[in-house]
Amino acid sequence: MARFTLPRDIYHGEGALEALKTFEGSKAMICVGGGSMKRFGFLDKVEAYLKEAGMEVELFEGIEPDPSVDTVMKGAEAMLKFQPDWIIAIGGGSPIDAAKAMWIKYEYPDITFEEMCKVFGIPKLRRKAHFCAISSTSGTATEVTAFSIITDYNKGIKYPIADFEITPDVAIVDPELAKTMPPKLVAHTGMDAMTHAVEAYVSTANCDYTDPLAIHAIEMIMKDLVPSYNGDMDARGRMHNAQCLAGMAFTNALLGIVHSMAHKTGAAFADYGAHIIHGAANAMYLPKVIAFNAKDETAKKRYGVIVDYMGICDKAASDDDKVKALIEFLRGMNDQLNIPHCIRNYGVDSYPTESGFVPEDVFLERLPEIAANAILDACTGSNPRIPTQEEMEKLLKCCYYDTEVDF
């Protein structure tokens, strides 16, 4: 038996934010990140719509990118004081992910962060509050997923929380919010969405319910991401839908080791001045992981199907040639989006550079631990090939040096 879970309601299209007027409840806490939602007027709109619905509203502001365990605990404490029956998270993946984790701690104050990270081990929620997610970026799709990524800065590790219980009750996908994204964010979140769709399609948990969502998302992203990056606002709106479709696919089909590696390298070199931004990490690692996974015949055939739908290679070509075409296409997208091909050339500002911010000796020193953590990541179990420690280290080296994956 398998399960397919999505939010009860998904409001989409221009003006979807107004759905908040129809919510029923007495208290709502809005969780939000930096100043962009306030600066562009969306936070005021959300607050006004909730008050129009008859609710008392309180804000929890300042959720940082790559939200920390400390932020989650502070937010849960604020919820325990205010006692909301609606939690409204607005912004990119970070505030929504943080609010999901806060929700767990609010409903179960005694639960530890370690207990929250047990895959599909969270107790029943919605005893105190329902959850609405409003996405402002076109990539994470956390507004429709059963996942949350929280960073333990003491360990330099990003932990995925995975449970259908944290799938939002309501998702609002309004393209007006996405139009405020700067180009770099468009690039990174867009390649995150592409990775979601590709990994979901070849995941060992794929099924008839997830495949159409993944394939259509891939078709949309290949057509609309680069124009969206270059300022085409119609394409930007379509990308907002595409990333949500990719999210619907992966929350049910799960992911693979591109995400395992991105989770475990993201904050691993923070002491050298930067994070490897999640979407950029996915963009760099995806071509390497495709080459690795394609040694599995089932995965190779499914990559071939992706290529057939994309129309980037002769349908009569061999699956090996189709895999090569897919890898080259994705690398070409990275070039158009100004994303590096490897960690060695990843600058502190995330742009390609001759000498990146992660020193070679530091990378090699930390490699065994990063590889071990990546293998233990929740996303590894549904990857078509489960790498050994040696294989994961070799794969990460390929992602550092941009060398060929031949194992």
Side-chain angles (χ1 to χ4, degrees):
M1 183 178 72
R3 178 174 175 177
F4 185 85
T5 300
L6 296 174
R8 166 125 176 15
D9 293 299
I10 301 173
Y11 296 96
H12 57 95
E14 291 190 16
L17 211 55
E18 292 190 34
L20 293 166
K21 294 178 182 179
T22 67
F23 282 25
E24 295 180 357
S26 59
K27 289 183 176 182
M29 175 167 278
I30 302 173
C31 299
V32 67
S36 64
M37 291 298 95
K38 180 180 287 186
R39 194 163 59 250
F40 291 110
F42 295 117
L43 184 58
D44 289 342
K45 280 186 179 181
V46 168
E47 192 169 359
Y49 290 150
L50 291 168
K51 287 179 177 176
E52 191 174 333
M55 293 195 215
E56 182 184 349
V57 179
E58 185 168 297
L59 303 182
F60 185 84
E61 300 182 80
I63 297 171
E64 74 275 33
D66 302 306
S68 66
V69 177
D70 288 344
T71 295
V72 168
M73 298 306 165
K74 287 174 185 174
E77 188 178 337
M79 289 176 187
L80 284 165
K81 288 179 183 175
F82 184 60
Q83 293 291 306
D85 47 19
W86 272 102
I87 298 166
I88 313 291
I90 179 171
S94 294
I96 297 174
D97 279 6
K100 286 179 176 179
M102 294 171 190
W103 183 24
I104 302 167
K105 185 73 174 173
Y106 168 49
E107 299 230 357
Y108 293 94
D110 294 331
I111 198 169
T112 65
F113 181 68
E114 289 71 25
E115 289 170 333
M116 288 162 63
C117 291
K118 290 178 183 175
V119 178
F120 295 100
I122 293 170
K124 292 284 184 185
L125 298 179
R126 297 164 180 82
R127 303 179 315 157
K128 295 181 180 179
H130 289 281
F131 192 98
C132 170
I134 306 167
S135 55
S136 67
T137 61
S138 301
T140 68
T142 188
E143 73 274 7
V144 293
T145 75
F147 300 98
S148 164
I149 307 298
I150 304 299
T151 303
D152 185 333
Y153 285 92
N154 292 326
K155 296 180 180 177
I157 295 176
K158 295 184 178 185
Y159 288 96
I161 299 172
D163 198 291
F164 287 120
E165 283 299 313
I166 60 170
T167 303
D169 298 287
V170 178
I172 295 179
V173 187
D174 190 325
E176 287 300 309
L177 279 71
K179 290 177 181 177
T180 64
M181 287 192 293
K184 183 164 77 171
L185 189 58
V186 172
H188 293 162
T189 57
M191 288 306 294
D192 191 19
M194 178 63 95
T195 305
H196 290 157
V198 172
E199 287 209 291
Y201 193 74
V202 300
S203 159
T204 57
N206 73 76
C207 68
D208 290 339
Y209 292 84
T210 59
D211 283 353
L213 294 165
I215 286 292
H216 190 48
I218 291 166
E219 290 177 311
M220 292 178 73
I221 295 165
M222 72 169 288
K223 292 174 184 173
D224 289 320
L225 176 52
V226 173
S228 173
Y229 175 73
N230 290 326
D232 181 333
M233 289 301 156
D234 289 335
R236 185 79 54 90
R238 291 190 294 272
M239 272 299 303
H240 212 41
N241 288 336
Q243 64 86 30
C244 190
L245 295 174
M248 293 181 200
F250 91 77
T251 190
N252 291 284
L254 307 179
L255 292 165
I257 59 172
V258 178
H259 274 76
S260 303
M261 294 156 64
H263 292 154
K264 301 322 182 202
T265 54
F269 309 101
D271 52 331
Y272 281 81
H275 280 212
I276 301 175
I277 296 171
H278 179 72
N282 283 338
M284 292 189 295
Y285 306 163
L286 180 58
K288 304 302 183 189
V289 170
I290 289 172
F292 176 79
N293 284 343
K295 303 296 188 293
D296 175 270
E297 286 299 317
T298 300
K300 186 198 294 185
K301 283 183 171 57
R302 291 185 74 81
Y303 287 131
V305 173
I306 289 172
V307 170
D308 287 344
Y309 276 99
M310 293 174 77
I312 57 174
C313 187
D314 189 333
K315 284 194 175 183
S318 69
D319 285 330
D320 286 322
D321 286 341
K322 289 176 182 178
V323 168
K324 289 176 185 175
L326 180 57
I327 289 170
E328 286 309 306
F329 181 87
L330 293 169
R331 287 175 65 88
M333 282 190 79
N334 287 347
D335 288 335
Q336 293 178 80
L337 298 168
N338 209 15
I339 296 174
H341 290 298
C342 62
I343 299 170
R344 183 172 61 176
N345 298 131
Y346 184 95
V348 71
D349 58 1
S350 83
Y351 292 124
T353 182
E354 189 68 30
S355 181
F357 84 94
V358 181
E360 181 180 22
D361 59 334
V362 174
F363 172 80
L364 294 172
E365 180 187 342
R366 299 180 186 183
L367 176 60
E369 184 179 3
I370 292 170
N373 288 332
I375 291 169
L376 293 173
D377 188 88
C379 294
T380 299
S382 47
N383 195 67
R385 283 182 73 191
I386 304 299
T388 63
Q389 174 75 18
E390 180 185 4
E391 287 171 334
M392 181 59 83
E393 288 187 25
K394 287 170 71 175
L395 190 53
L396 283 162
K397 282 183 179 179
C398 290
C399 292
Y400 185 86
Y401 296 108
D402 190 21
T403 48
E404 187 178 350
V405 177
D406 58 1
F407 52 92

mmCIF file of all heavy atoms in Angstrom, residues 121-142:
data_model
loop_
_atom_site.group_PDB
_atom_site.id
_atom_site.type_symbol
_atom_site.label_atom_id
_atom_site.label_comp_id
_atom_site.label_asym_id
_atom_site.label_seq_id
_atom_site.Cartn_x
_atom_site.Cartn_y
_atom_site.Cartn_z
ATOM 1 N N GLY A 121 7.751 9.909 11.952
ATOM 2 C CA GLY A 121 7.522 9.499 13.333
ATOM 3 C C GLY A 121 6.876 10.564 14.189
ATOM 4 O O GLY A 121 6.867 10.469 15.411
ATOM 5 N N ILE A 122 6.285 11.589 13.552
ATOM 6 C CA ILE A 122 5.676 12.695 14.304
ATOM 7 C C ILE A 122 4.251 12.314 14.704
ATOM 8 O O ILE A 122 3.499 11.760 13.888
ATOM 9 C CB ILE A 122 5.678 13.988 13.456
ATOM 10 C CG1 ILE A 122 7.122 14.461 13.238
ATOM 11 C CG2 ILE A 122 4.860 15.090 14.105
ATOM 12 C CD1 ILE A 122 7.249 15.571 12.227
ATOM 13 N N PRO A 123 3.850 12.600 15.956
ATOM 14 C CA PRO A 123 2.476 12.291 16.359
ATOM 15 C C PRO A 123 1.461 13.194 15.649
ATOM 16 O O PRO A 123 1.832 14.163 14.990
ATOM 17 C CB PRO A 123 2.487 12.561 17.873
ATOM 18 C CG PRO A 123 3.638 13.487 18.103
ATOM 19 C CD PRO A 123 4.651 13.166 17.051
ATOM 20 N N LYS A 124 0.197 12.877 15.799
ATOM 21 C CA LYS A 124 -0.876 13.607 15.114
ATOM 22 C C LYS A 124 -0.873 15.087 15.479
ATOM 23 O O LYS A 124 -0.825 15.451 16.660
ATOM 24 C CB LYS A 124 -2.239 13.014 15.492
ATOM 25 C CG LYS A 124 -2.473 11.613 14.954
ATOM 26 C CD LYS A 124 -2.789 11.642 13.475
ATOM 27 C CE LYS A 124 -3.113 10.253 12.957
ATOM 28 N NZ LYS A 124 -3.298 10.243 11.490
ATOM 29 N N LEU A 125 -0.926 15.933 14.459
ATOM 30 C CA LEU A 125 -1.030 17.373 14.672
ATOM 31 C C LEU A 125 -2.498 17.814 14.531
ATOM 32 O O LEU A 125 -3.391 16.995 14.480
ATOM 33 C CB LEU A 125 -0.139 18.121 13.672
ATOM 34 C CG LEU A 125 1.372 17.829 13.766
ATOM 35 C CD1 LEU A 125 2.137 18.625 12.708
ATOM 36 C CD2 LEU A 125 1.918 18.152 15.153
ATOM 37 N N ARG A 126 -2.695 19.132 14.509
ATOM 38 C CA ARG A 126 -4.018 19.749 14.339
ATOM 39 C C ARG A 126 -4.891 19.621 15.582
ATOM 40 O O ARG A 126 -6.109 19.787 15.498
ATOM 41 C CB ARG A 126 -4.751 19.189 13.104
ATOM 42 C CG ARG A 126 -4.015 19.498 11.825
ATOM 43 C CD ARG A 126 -4.459 18.661 10.637
ATOM 44 N NE ARG A 126 -3.676 19.034 9.455
ATOM 45 C CZ ARG A 126 -2.454 18.570 9.204
ATOM 46 N NH1 ARG A 126 -1.886 17.685 10.036
ATOM 47 N NH2 ARG A 126 -1.791 18.982 8.149
ATOM 48 N N ARG A 127 -4.292 19.332 16.720
ATOM 49 C CA ARG A 127 -5.031 19.356 17.980
ATOM 50 C C ARG A 127 -5.223 20.791 18.439
ATOM 51 O O ARG A 127 -6.181 21.119 19.116
ATOM 52 C CB ARG A 127 -4.274 18.582 19.063
ATOM 53 C CG ARG A 127 -3.971 17.112 18.721
ATOM 54 C CD ARG A 127 -3.199 16.456 19.847
ATOM 55 N NE ARG A 127 -2.121 17.309 20.325
ATOM 56 C CZ ARG A 127 -1.568 17.238 21.535
ATOM 57 N NH1 ARG A 127 -2.005 16.326 22.395
ATOM 58 N NH2 ARG A 127 -0.586 18.030 21.889
ATOM 59 N N LYS A 128 -4.249 21.671 18.053
ATOM 60 C CA LYS A 128 -4.313 23.082 18.451
ATOM 61 C C LYS A 128 -4.505 24.018 17.264
ATOM 62 O O LYS A 128 -5.163 25.044 17.390
ATOM 63 C CB LYS A 128 -3.020 23.475 19.185
ATOM 64 C CG LYS A 128 -2.779 22.780 20.511
ATOM 65 C CD LYS A 128 -1.477 23.284 21.125
ATOM 66 C CE LYS A 128 -1.189 22.628 22.460
ATOM 67 N NZ LYS A 128 0.100 23.105 23.047
ATOM 68 N N ALA A 129 -3.872 23.701 16.128
ATOM 69 C CA ALA A 129 -3.854 24.671 15.027
ATOM 70 C C ALA A 129 -3.840 23.982 13.674
ATOM 71 O O ALA A 129 -3.368 22.855 13.525
ATOM 72 C CB ALA A 129 -2.630 25.579 15.150
ATOM 73 N N HIS A 130 -4.355 24.713 12.681
ATOM 74 C CA HIS A 130 -4.193 24.355 11.280
ATOM 75 C C HIS A 130 -3.103 25.237 10.677
ATOM 76 O O HIS A 130 -2.707 26.255 11.261
ATOM 77 C CB HIS A 130 -5.504 24.518 10.525
ATOM 78 C CG HIS A 130 -6.526 23.484 10.888
ATOM 79 N ND1 HIS A 130 -6.503 22.209 10.377
ATOM 80 C CD2 HIS A 130 -7.583 23.528 11.738
ATOM 81 C CE1 HIS A 130 -7.500 21.507 10.879
ATOM 82 N NE2 HIS A 130 -8.178 22.293 11.717
ATOM 83 N N PHE A 131 -2.639 24.836 9.486
ATOM 84 C CA PHE A 131 -1.444 25.467 8.913
ATOM 85 C C PHE A 131 -1.719 25.886 7.479
ATOM 86 O O PHE A 131 -2.211 25.101 6.665
ATOM 87 C CB PHE A 131 -0.277 24.467 8.951
ATOM 88 C CG PHE A 131 1.075 25.051 8.655
ATOM 89 C CD1 PHE A 131 1.949 25.396 9.676
ATOM 90 C CD2 PHE A 131 1.493 25.255 7.345
ATOM 91 C CE1 PHE A 131 3.205 25.923 9.413
ATOM 92 C CE2 PHE A 131 2.739 25.779 7.060
ATOM 93 C CZ PHE A 131 3.604 26.122 8.095
ATOM 94 N N CYS A 132 -1.363 27.143 7.169
ATOM 95 C CA CYS A 132 -1.466 27.655 5.797
ATOM 96 C C CYS A 132 -0.095 28.162 5.362
ATOM 97 O O CYS A 132 0.549 28.935 6.086
ATOM 98 C CB CYS A 132 -2.484 28.795 5.721
ATOM 99 S SG CYS A 132 -2.484 29.671 4.135
ATOM 100 N N ALA A 133 0.351 27.734 4.192
ATOM 101 C CA ALA A 133 1.646 28.157 3.656
ATOM 102 C C ALA A 133 1.431 28.989 2.397
ATOM 103 O O ALA A 133 0.679 28.592 1.503
ATOM 104 C CB ALA A 133 2.503 26.939 3.339
ATOM 105 N N ILE A 134 2.117 30.128 2.348
ATOM 106 C CA ILE A 134 2.009 31.051 1.214
ATOM 107 C C ILE A 134 3.400 31.242 0.637
ATOM 108 O O ILE A 134 4.264 31.867 1.258
ATOM 109 C CB ILE A 134 1.430 32.413 1.655
ATOM 110 C CG1 ILE A 134 0.101 32.213 2.398
ATOM 111 C CG2 ILE A 134 1.249 33.328 0.454
ATOM 112 C CD1 ILE A 134 -0.371 33.463 3.140
ATOM 113 N N SER A 135 3.637 30.683 -0.545
ATOM 114 C CA SER A 135 4.991 30.680 -1.107
ATOM 115 C C SER A 135 5.271 31.951 -1.897
ATOM 116 O O SER A 135 4.439 32.416 -2.675
ATOM 117 C CB SER A 135 5.177 29.465 -2.013
ATOM 118 O OG SER A 135 4.171 29.438 -3.017
ATOM 119 N N SER A 136 6.468 32.501 -1.695
ATOM 120 C CA SER A 136 6.892 33.689 -2.452
ATOM 121 C C SER A 136 8.016 33.362 -3.423
ATOM 122 O O SER A 136 8.416 34.204 -4.224
ATOM 123 C CB SER A 136 7.363 34.794 -1.500
ATOM 124 O OG SER A 136 8.554 34.414 -0.836
ATOM 125 N N THR A 137 8.552 32.139 -3.345
ATOM 126 C CA THR A 137 9.620 31.725 -4.255
ATOM 127 C C THR A 137 9.165 30.504 -5.044
ATOM 128 O O THR A 137 8.260 29.783 -4.627
ATOM 129 C CB THR A 137 10.917 31.384 -3.495
ATOM 130 O OG1 THR A 137 10.665 30.300 -2.587
ATOM 131 C CG2 THR A 137 11.424 32.589 -2.727
ATOM 132 N N SER A 138 9.810 30.292 -6.179
ATOM 133 C CA SER A 138 9.372 29.224 -7.083
ATOM 134 C C SER A 138 10.384 28.096 -7.103
ATOM 135 O O SER A 138 11.138 27.927 -8.055
ATOM 136 C CB SER A 138 9.157 29.796 -8.489
ATOM 137 O OG SER A 138 8.200 30.819 -8.457
ATOM 138 N N GLY A 139 10.413 27.322 -6.013
ATOM 139 C CA GLY A 139 11.399 26.248 -5.955
ATOM 140 C C GLY A 139 11.160 25.209 -4.887
ATOM 141 O O GLY A 139 10.989 24.035 -5.177
ATOM 142 N N THR A 140 11.135 25.604 -3.633
ATOM 143 C CA THR A 140 11.095 24.610 -2.562
ATOM 144 C C THR A 140 9.800 23.816 -2.557
ATOM 145 O O THR A 140 9.790 22.646 -2.191
ATOM 146 C CB THR A 140 11.259 25.265 -1.180
ATOM 147 O OG1 THR A 140 10.108 26.062 -0.896
ATOM 148 C CG2 THR A 140 12.501 26.133 -1.128
ATOM 149 N N ALA A 141 8.686 24.471 -2.922
ATOM 150 C CA ALA A 141 7.348 23.849 -2.907
ATOM 151 C C ALA A 141 6.971 23.356 -1.527
ATOM 152 O O ALA A 141 6.087 22.505 -1.382
ATOM 153 C CB ALA A 141 7.244 22.718 -3.928
ATOM 154 N N THR A 142 7.597 23.905 -0.506
ATOM 155 C CA THR A 142 7.290 23.451 0.851
ATOM 156 C C THR A 142 5.840 23.721 1.226
ATOM 157 O O THR A 142 5.318 23.142 2.175
ATOM 158 C CB THR A 142 8.270 24.091 1.867
ATOM 159 O OG1 THR A 142 8.081 23.508 3.152
ATOM 160 C CG2 THR A 142 8.063 25.597 1.959
#
